[in-house]
Every structure is written in C-alpha cells, then in structure tokens.
Amino acid sequence: MAKPKLSLERIKRSFRRRLNAMPADFREDGFAVKSKSLDFLDDPRFKAAWAAATDLCSWPKGGGIPSIRWRAHMACWAASVGLQLEGDFVECGTNTGILAKVICEYHDFGRYDRKLYLCDTFAGMPIVSGMSAAEVQYAEDANKGMYRDVLEQVHEAFANVKNVILCQGILPASLQTVDLKKIAFLSMDLNSAAAEQQTIDVLWPHLTQGAVVLLDDYAHKGHEAQYKMWNQFAASKGLLVATLPSGQGLLVKGKL
C-alpha cells in the first residue's frame, strides 16, 4: 500500500521540530543562534583584531574578557559604513576600549585622515542630573564592583593609533573640549537614559546623513529606560531603531 503523501504544512512542522531540537551553534553574551553562518568569527582579520583588543583592553587588565564578539562584529560593520562618509568617529562610554580597539585594528584606523574620540570618565559611571533612582543605584553598584581607573590602560592600548583622542570627563559637558564638526560613526554606551538623551541632543546635529549610531545597551534587560528613550528619540526623527540579537540597537541618520 502506498504511503500517504505528507501535506506541506506537516513537512514544515516536522522541519521546525527538528530545527528546534538542534543544539545552538553559538551561545555567548546572553543569546544563542542555530543554523546560521558564523564564518565572521573565523575571519582571520576579525580574529586578529579581537585578539589584539582583548589582550590590551581586557576587563580588568589581564583578567576577564567580556564575551561580546558579536557586538564587536557589529561595531566593525558600523565603522565600515562610517568610513564611507565624511566625519570623525565618536564613542561615548569606552571603559577599557575593547570595541574601539577592535575597530581600530580591523580597519587599520590610523591610516585615515579622521579622528576617533573616546569619551569617558575612565574611572567609572558618573551620577548625572535626570537619572532615575534605579540608574543611580546601578551606577553606585557598578562603581563598587565593576569599574575602576583605566585611563593609563587605555592610553597604552591606543598608543599606536595616532588619530585616537581621549576625551576625559562627564558627558555631555566634556564634549565642549572637543572640536566636533561632522560625525560619521557614533557609539553610545553610557548605561543611563538621562546621560544618553543629553548627549545625543548635543551630537545629533553633527551626524552626517547616513551615519550609524550603535547603541550598546538598547535591548538588554535592566536597560528598559534606555530602550524607551531611544525609541522615542528615533520616532521624533521619523526613524526606527533596529533590534539586534546581541542586545544592541542600530539607528541610521536619514533625511528629515
């Protein structure tokens, strides 16, 4: 007796069950993926950039290394867009500089006639006006257990990249010391909706059309205030933030 033909819907359900039962091909930084190409992790250029960054910018120095290779890959992509545009690069929230170092190594940033401004206190997360009670508590806890003075380490890590400039201080006030004209790439990682709102209000007019804003904390649990703030900001510009599985957000400046 001939076997009954399987319906297309039954075939699809069977495939989904098999796919869901497969082990993850990648599990890192709080998320996992399966049945996806991960070739970028084995790209010699990326591997060399990641190795250099984690050797010099480990957190803390000589110790822990955050498992953020997918975030680093997205940073390299966003930087590649910025290199096609006019303007400098700005990172707001650097700490030891892992992502910035990956960008510099991957793109050989020192050969370009533009600057990368690394903006941070380099000594922990400041308390700024407008922060919620939860954000203040987060900052106090992080400063006790996670952050420390890393200024010397960052100087050493970027000593071989002549066009990297450290901008030390509390954002956005510290930007007054920087001669900003046009910005082709912006990374935001201030762990505070208030700090990021105040900073993007200052920097947005400087962004070149097509510039990518890479949001590090955007879709991470515990950062709901930043998620809401960035969605509202993007909507006010007629834009939408793209949510990445890494928890990052992508915002591209377009025409108003």
Side-chain angles (χ1 to χ4, degrees), residues 168-189:
Q168 186 179 18
I170 298 175
L171 290 161
S174 60
L175 294 171
Q176 296 176 8
T177 65
V178 177
D179 184 23
L180 285 177
K181 295 181 176 64
K182 293 184 178 181
I183 300 173
F185 165 82
L186 174 62
S187 174
M188 296 289 288
D189 185 12

Side-chain angles (χ1 to χ4, degrees), residues 31-76:
F31 71 102
V33 299
K34 60 178 66 176
S35 191
K36 303 293 187 294
S37 173
L38 300 171
D39 287 353
F40 71 89
L41 294 173
D42 293 319
D43 171 38
R45 183 176 165 193
F46 178 79
K47 288 178 70 175
W50 176 254
T54 53
D55 179 53
L56 294 169
C57 307
S58 60
W59 194 17
K61 187 176 182 181
I65 299 172
S67 55
I68 55 172
R69 288 183 296 167
W70 204 297
R71 290 195 229 182
H73 168 63
M74 292 310 306
C76 289

Side-chain angles (χ1 to χ4, degrees), residues 98-117:
I98 289 179
L99 291 183
K101 186 63 175 177
V102 171
I103 288 173
C104 287
E105 294 294 324
Y106 187 86
H107 291 291
D108 190 12
F109 192 79
R111 66 192 174 94
Y112 290 94
D113 184 22
R114 64 178 80 203
K115 297 179 177 64
L116 167 57
Y117 293 97

Side-chain angles (χ1 to χ4, degrees), residues 22-216:
M22 293 169 55
D25 298 315
F26 176 93
R27 189 181 298 276
E28 192 173 281
D29 199 15
F31 71 102
V33 299
K34 60 178 66 176
S35 191
K36 303 293 187 294
S37 173
L38 300 171
D39 287 353
F40 71 89
L41 294 173
D42 293 319
D43 171 38
R45 183 176 165 193
F46 178 79
K47 288 178 70 175
W50 176 254
T54 53
D55 179 53
L56 294 169
C57 307
S58 60
W59 194 17
K61 187 176 182 181
I65 299 172
S67 55
I68 55 172
R69 288 183 296 167
W70 204 297
R71 290 195 229 182
H73 168 63
M74 292 310 306
C76 289
W77 172 83
S80 73
V81 175
L83 289 172
Q84 305 302 311
L85 305 173
E86 184 180 1
D88 293 319
F89 283 24
V90 177
E91 181 177 71
C92 297
T94 295
N95 195 24
T96 59
I98 289 179
L99 291 183
K101 186 63 175 177
V102 171
I103 288 173
C104 287
E105 294 294 324
Y106 187 86
H107 291 291
D108 190 12
F109 192 79
R111 66 192 174 94
Y112 290 94
D113 184 22
R114 64 178 80 203
K115 297 179 177 64
L116 167 57
Y117 293 97
L118 303 182
C119 306
D120 203 303
T121 66
F122 300 104
M125 186 175 169
I127 308 299
V128 301
S129 62
M131 288 176 68
S132 67
E135 288 182 327
V136 171
Q137 187 62 57
Y138 176 90
E140 291 176 346
D141 292 343
N143 289 336
K144 290 177 183 177
M146 187 189 317
Y147 296 124
R148 59 185 179 80
D149 188 334
V150 296
L151 184 61
E152 182 179 351
Q153 180 183 351
V154 176
H155 270 300
E156 292 176 0
F158 292 90
N160 66 329
V161 190
K162 66 180 187 308
N163 47 348
V164 168
I165 298 175
L166 273 56
C167 176
Q168 186 179 18
I170 298 175
L171 290 161
S174 60
L175 294 171
Q176 296 176 8
T177 65
V178 177
D179 184 23
L180 285 177
K181 295 181 176 64
K182 293 184 178 181
I183 300 173
F185 165 82
L186 174 62
S187 174
M188 296 289 288
D189 185 12
L190 299 179
N191 298 294
S192 162
E196 292 188 350
Q197 178 74 72
Q198 294 166 24
T199 302
I200 193 59
D201 286 343
V202 173
L203 293 180
W204 187 259
H206 295 277
L207 262 68
T208 303
Q209 184 180 330
V212 174
V213 183
L214 184 63
L215 311 175
D216 190 74

